[in-house]
Amino acid sequence: MESSEKLALIAQFSPFNRLDHELFEHVAIYIDIEKAAKGTVLFDVGDIDIDEYYLVQGEIALAAKDGRENVLKAGEGRAQLPIARLRPRMYKAIAASDILYFSLSKSVLDELQRGMNSETGGFVVGDMKSQAGEDGRILLHEFQQELASGRFVLPSLPETALKIREKADDKDSNLADIAALVNTDPAIAAKLLKTANSPLYRGVSPCSNTQAAISRLGIITTKQLVTSFAVLSLFKSDSHAAIERMERLWRQSIEVAAFSYVLAKHLPIFNEDEAMLAGVLHRIGELVIISFADNFYDLSTDQQHLDTVIMLLSGHIGGMVLEKWDFAPELVAVAREYGDWLRHSEGEDDLDYCGLVQVASLYATQSGGSMPAADEDSSIPAFQKIALSPEQTHQIFQEGEEQLAEIRALLNGG
């Protein structure tokens, strides 16, 4: 292949299409366009290799560990980026046809990214991280790729929690079936038993086993509690930069969950345990972005940019996640629309779980659950649709301080 033809091909891919001419030509010296026959394996699930691959021509099948398969075709927008950048590799890459491709060290790509806006006399090692783009479009595209191809790892609910949700929805299942499944996860079993014996649910005599606890709580409440415990377990990060954000988000989600529970108990159209779960879930999109941001250099180094992307994309991504988990539409709406404070402003719809969480969150962010400012409660549709005056709502939270403390302790594992 002629040198000029090779340069023209490489220049179509990111980040080479953003390099200055001199640096691009210097890097391209180390790149060769290679051929591979149909059936060639570029990498496998679990690999922790040092190279990044780009597809120039043909198709590559991406096979996830669970058997799901996604085909990447040359020329697609996503093919401009390296294939499967996460490590360990989350799927197997197999040539679905004869292909042309090239590879380059992850370390070189990372240094190119870091030196994009400065004069570069050489490059050293590091991990490739894309730029998210000012409005997060690349992040959203990447996230959709991860979701579609089975590489979406971070916010997968623990398998036991998913099975318990499925079993609870099965009309043919009974308490013994659900208890047996719960007992396969000692941590969940212990939390349910502790919850059943807590002041919120305590009966005449203490529950001594999982089945008794589920009987007292009820199947629906058990399902919601297990999901809340499982979601809160995801608020962790190995990234030092993300730890503080994640801890703050975790505390805020618990607080809103507690206020949502207490408020729902005074509104007959709501289930308080569902409301608590809605409070836990309302910022799940932000959790995903914070965890995913470490793959993007500009998000992992610029907190202001990260805040902008969270504001623009957290609702969209949160809705995608809950749909992926097969959550009920009313909970998907909480994650997707929570940040839209003027939602349903023109409609006559009744207050829903999203509106409930919006009201609860405004009180939760005030010191001691005090009333939000008058202009806040008068301009937000959710406040207008709640069947309580601001004074009544404020009184509910004042009188429910003990319940708020119990919910905080419950979700904190205390």
Side-chain angles (χ1 to χ4, degrees), residues 201-217:
Y201 301 98
R202 189 164 49 211
V204 176
S205 58
C207 296
S208 58
N209 58 65
T210 305
Q211 186 167 332
I214 296 172
S215 177
R216 174 173 295 171
L217 295 169

Side-chain angles (χ1 to χ4, degrees), residues 1-13 16-17 21-31 33 102:
M1 181 179 292
E2 293 290 333
S3 176
S4 58
E5 183 181 359
K6 183 183 81 168
L7 291 176
L9 284 173
I10 296 172
Q12 299 175 34
F13 298 89
F16 311 106
N17 54 7
H21 181 71
E22 183 179 353
L23 179 58
F24 170 66
E25 288 196 337
H26 184 57
V27 172
I29 293 173
Y30 300 94
I31 298 176
I33 306 293
F102 67 89

Side-chain angles (χ1 to χ4, degrees), residues 218-283:
I219 292 177
I220 299 302
T221 294
T222 296
K223 172 186 170 181
Q224 311 299 21
L225 287 170
V226 166
T227 307
S228 293
F229 295 146
V231 170
L232 288 171
S233 72
L234 300 175
F235 284 69
K236 299 174 182 176
S237 175
D238 294 328
S239 168
H240 179 73
I243 289 175
E244 184 178 345
R245 271 184 176 268
M246 203 73 85
E247 288 181 350
R248 184 169 63 250
L249 180 59
W250 177 72
R251 290 193 302 269
Q252 292 169 346
S253 296
I254 288 177
E255 194 70 4
V256 172
F259 274 75
S260 298
Y261 178 95
V262 170
L263 182 57
K265 285 185 73 71
H266 292 80
L267 299 171
I269 62 172
F270 295 106
N271 174 281
E272 58 266 30
D273 297 300
E274 182 98 346
M276 179 173 67
L277 176 58
V280 168
L281 292 169
H282 78 289
R283 291 168 68 183

Side-chain angles (χ1 to χ4, degrees), residues 27 54 106 117 134 155 197 289 300 365 370 378 395:
V27 172
Y54 290 84
K106 290 167 89 258
N117 297 318
E134 288 189 7
N197 290 319
I289 291 173
S300 61
T365 56
S370 60
S378 64
Q395 186 176 357

Side-chain angles (χ1 to χ4, degrees), residues 174-210:
N174 54 44
L175 291 178
D177 294 333
I178 297 173
L181 189 53
V182 169
N183 285 333
T184 63
D185 189 317
I188 289 179
K191 287 179 179 179
L192 281 182
L193 193 59
K194 187 172 184 178
T195 301
N197 290 319
S198 72
L200 284 173
Y201 301 98
R202 189 164 49 211
V204 176
S205 58
C207 296
S208 58
N209 58 65
T210 305

Side-chain angles (χ1 to χ4, degrees), residues 60-309:
I60 289 177
L62 307 174
K65 190 175 183 180
D66 61 4
R68 287 176 293 174
E69 190 170 291
N70 178 40
V71 176
L72 176 67
K73 298 180 181 180
E76 293 180 340
R78 58 181 181 148
Q80 294 178 350
L81 300 168
I83 305 167
R85 294 171 300 145
L86 299 185
R87 302 297 194 280
R89 298 284 191 181
M90 302 310 296
Y91 62 83
K92 185 176 185 179
I94 311 164
S97 66
D98 292 342
I99 64 171
L100 293 179
Y101 73 96
F102 67 89
S103 62
L104 189 66
S105 168
K106 290 167 89 258
S107 59
V108 173
L109 286 173
D110 181 65
E111 187 61 23
L112 288 176
Q113 190 70 60
R114 292 177 186 273
M116 195 71 69
N117 297 318
S118 62
E119 292 190 6
T120 308
F123 28 88
V124 292
V125 292
D127 278 320
M128 162 65 183
K129 295 175 182 176
S130 285
Q131 287 186 311
E134 288 189 7
D135 60 359
R137 284 175 296 183
I138 295 176
L139 174 67
L140 180 58
H141 176 73
E142 285 289 288
F143 179 77
Q144 288 172 323
Q145 277 188 263
E146 301 296 313
L147 202 62
S149 64
R151 294 174 290 168
F152 178 42
V153 177
L154 161 75
S156 297
L157 281 177
E159 185 178 359
T160 302
L162 286 172
K163 289 181 178 178
I164 291 171
R165 287 180 59 83
E166 292 173 358
K167 185 67 71 175
D169 290 335
D170 184 356
K171 295 179 180 179
D172 295 327
S173 65
N174 54 44
L175 291 178
D177 294 333
I178 297 173
L181 189 53
V182 169
N183 285 333
T184 63
D185 189 317
I188 289 179
K191 287 179 179 179
L192 281 182
L193 193 59
K194 187 172 184 178
T195 301
N197 290 319
S198 72
L200 284 173
Y201 301 98
R202 189 164 49 211
V204 176
S205 58
C207 296
S208 58
N209 58 65
T210 305
Q211 186 167 332
I214 296 172
S215 177
R216 174 173 295 171
L217 295 169
I219 292 177
I220 299 302
T221 294
T222 296
K223 172 186 170 181
Q224 311 299 21
L225 287 170
V226 166
T227 307
S228 293
F229 295 146
V231 170
L232 288 171
S233 72
L234 300 175
F235 284 69
K236 299 174 182 176
S237 175
D238 294 328
S239 168
H240 179 73
I243 289 175
E244 184 178 345
R245 271 184 176 268
M246 203 73 85
E247 288 181 350
R248 184 169 63 250
L249 180 59
W250 177 72
R251 290 193 302 269
Q252 292 169 346
S253 296
I254 288 177
E255 194 70 4
V256 172
F259 274 75
S260 298
Y261 178 95
V262 170
L263 182 57
K265 285 185 73 71
H266 292 80
L267 299 171
I269 62 172
F270 295 106
N271 174 281
E272 58 266 30
D273 297 300
E274 182 98 346
M276 179 173 67
L277 176 58
V280 168
L281 292 169
H282 78 289
R283 291 168 68 183
I284 190 72
E286 185 173 341
L287 165 68
V288 176
I289 291 173
I290 292 172
S291 301
F292 209 63
D294 199 43
N295 295 315
F296 295 85
Y297 179 67
D298 53 342
L299 293 185
S300 61
T301 58
D302 186 339
Q303 295 300 298
Q304 187 174 359
H305 192 178
L306 177 57
D307 287 335
T308 300
V309 170

